[in-house]
Every structure is written in structure tokens, then in C-alpha cells.
């Protein structure tokens, strides 16, 4: 077990409960280790695939921290600042732009909900602490999971930032130029 812990694999290892419940005192350690070994190989393979898949273009930012390198406390601080900044921006839009009467912004417990209109739909942006990500559900572009990379929130599949996507979509929704680059942790 300590060898697995040193490899950093044990934190991802959660064998099915069937394997544990069917293990009896008479079963051999070799069988259990063999079963665990195949799970560990699958985990290592998935980790390697994710690292290859998540390679994104480098952005010119002063911070070079990645989500995986963030401590839990630092992630909580950065994600909270990001969501609070976005919430403030959406609240300001209600005061300064011609928004639909249905326009509504709510932020609580790490979840930001923004209803643009009945026609356009609702955005949900929330923290995902276990993954150290921010998730977005957009009525236009669908769900996306953003990692904190080089000082901003990046979607690994296309290299786009959360703030850039919001700038594009909310500008269309409100038929006005909206810029989210002044929010915390945008890539300006």
C-alpha cells in the first residue's frame, strides 16, 4: 500500500465494492494484489491519456500555475474570486444594459446562475472542488469544464478561456459589446 501511495496512484484507486465484499479471509494476497494491479494499470493509462489530451497552447501570463499544481486552499481562493467577479459583472450588466425583464443573477455556495431571458436561456457556472475546475453550462455552447492554466480558466478541448466564451455569447445575447476581460483571472 505504501508503494502505491508513493506513486500517487492510491488516491485514485477505488476498487468496486463487489471486489472487497467477495474477498474473504481465506483468499490469497496474490489474488488481491493482482486485481488491484489491473486497476492501477488502468488508472495510470487514463492519467497518461489525460496528460496528452490536456496539452494546451501556452498563454502569455505571468502566472504559470496549473490546476493540478494548486493546493486546495489556493484553488478555493482563485475560484471564489473568479465567480464573485463574474457575478459582479453580471449584476452590473443588469444596471447598465438593456436586459430582458426576465434577466436574473444569483450567486450562492459556489454556484452562479444567470438567466438571460426565456428565449436565450440560463447559464450556470460553478466550482468543482474535487477536480479543481470551474464548470460552465451554457444554453448555446453546452457544458464545458475549465482548468486553471497559466493564470486563467481554459477549456482543454479547444484551448479557449471561460472569459472569452462569455464575452462572445453574452455580447450576442444582449446585442451589445460586453467584455469579461476585466474580471478576475481573465487572460486579458
Amino acid at each position: 500500500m505504501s508503494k502505491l501511495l508513493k506513486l500517487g496512484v492510491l488516491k485514485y484507486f477505488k476498487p468496486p465494492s463487489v471486489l472487497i465484499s467477495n474477498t474473504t479471509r481465506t483468499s490469497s494476497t496474490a489474488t488481491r494484489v493482482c486485481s488491484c494491479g489491473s486497476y492501477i494499470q488502468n488508472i495510470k493509462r487514463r492519467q497518461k491519456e489525460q496528460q496528452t489530451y490536456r496539452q494546451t497552447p501556452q498563454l502569455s501570463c505571468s502566472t504559470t500555475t496549473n490546476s493540478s499544481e494548486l493546493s486546495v486552499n489556493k484553488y478555493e481562493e482563485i475560484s471564489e474570486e473568479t465567480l464573485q467577479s463574474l457575478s459582479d459583472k453580471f449584476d452590473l450588466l443588469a444596471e447598465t444594459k438593456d436586459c430582458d425583464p426576465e434577466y436574473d443573477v444569483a450567486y450562492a455556495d459556489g454556484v452562479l446562475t444567470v438567466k438571460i431571458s426565456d428565449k436565450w436561456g440560463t447559464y450556470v457556472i460553478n466550482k468543482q472542488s474535487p477536480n479543481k475546475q470551474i464548470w460552465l453550462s451554457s444554453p448555446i455552447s453546452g457544458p464545458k469544464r475549465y482548468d486553471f492554466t497559466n493564470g486563467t480558466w481554459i477549456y482543454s478541448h479547444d484551448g479557449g478561456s471561460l472569459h472569452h466564451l462569455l464575452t462572445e455569447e453574452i455580447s450576442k445575447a444582449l446585442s451589445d459589446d460586453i467584455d469579461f476581460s476585466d474580471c478576475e483571472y481573465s487572460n486579458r
Side-chain angles (χ1 to χ4, degrees):
M1 284 294 222
S2 64
K3 184 177 180 182
L4 297 176
L5 191 57
K6 286 180 185 176
L7 291 173
V9 176
L10 191 58
K11 64 182 175 183
Y12 299 106
F13 176 68
K14 292 183 181 173
S17 58
V18 175
L19 179 69
I20 294 170
S21 64
N22 289 340
T23 304
T24 63
R25 293 177 187 220
T26 59
S27 65
S28 70
T29 305
T31 304
R32 281 183 271 154
V33 170
C34 183
S35 298
C36 294
S38 64
Y39 285 110
I40 293 168
Q41 287 174 347
N42 286 338
I43 291 167
K44 284 182 180 179
R45 180 182 48 78
R46 279 188 245 136
Q47 286 175 337
K48 194 174 198 176
E49 288 171 357
Q50 287 174 350
Q51 287 172 346
T52 303
Y53 191 71
R54 289 188 175 184
Q55 291 175 345
T56 57
Q58 297 295 316
L59 300 174
S60 58
C61 292
S62 59
T63 307
T64 58
T65 304
N66 293 325
S67 290
S68 61
E69 298 169 357
L70 289 177
S71 69
V72 173
N73 290 338
K74 191 67 176 172
Y75 162 78
E76 289 295 331
E77 177 186 324
I78 291 170
S79 61
E80 183 64 32
E81 287 176 19
T82 301
L83 291 172
Q84 187 61 56
S85 176
L86 291 173
S87 177
D88 293 345
K89 178 73 171 191
F90 280 112
D91 282 335
L92 183 63
L93 292 177
E95 298 169 9
T96 59
K97 302 295 179 184
D98 185 26
C99 296
D100 190 270
E102 296 294 319
Y103 185 89
D104 184 46
V105 179
Y107 179 56
D109 298 323
V111 180
L112 172 61
T113 305
V114 182
K115 182 177 182 181
I116 303 297
S117 67
D118 284 334
K119 178 183 173 190
W120 192 265
T122 301
Y123 287 83
V124 179
I125 307 168
N126 63 291
K127 296 191 296 187
Q128 280 296 316
S129 299
N131 302 12
K132 297 181 187 171
Q133 294 176 325
I134 287 182
W135 288 9
L136 165 77
S137 175
S138 162
I140 304 306
S141 58
K144 295 185 186 294
R145 297 176 180 190
Y146 290 88
D147 295 298
F148 191 72
T149 305
N150 296 322
T152 192
W153 296 97
I154 300 293
Y155 182 53
S156 64
H157 295 272
D158 64 10
S161 77
L162 170 66
H163 296 85
H164 180 73
L165 180 103
L166 290 173
T167 295
E168 286 183 354
E169 291 189 10
I170 302 303
S171 293
K172 288 178 188 174
L174 299 180
S175 301
D176 200 347
D177 289 334
I178 310 297
D179 186 11
F180 283 85
S181 67
D182 57 346
C183 293
E184 292 294 321
Y185 300 102
S186 74
N187 59 354
R188 300 185 184 159

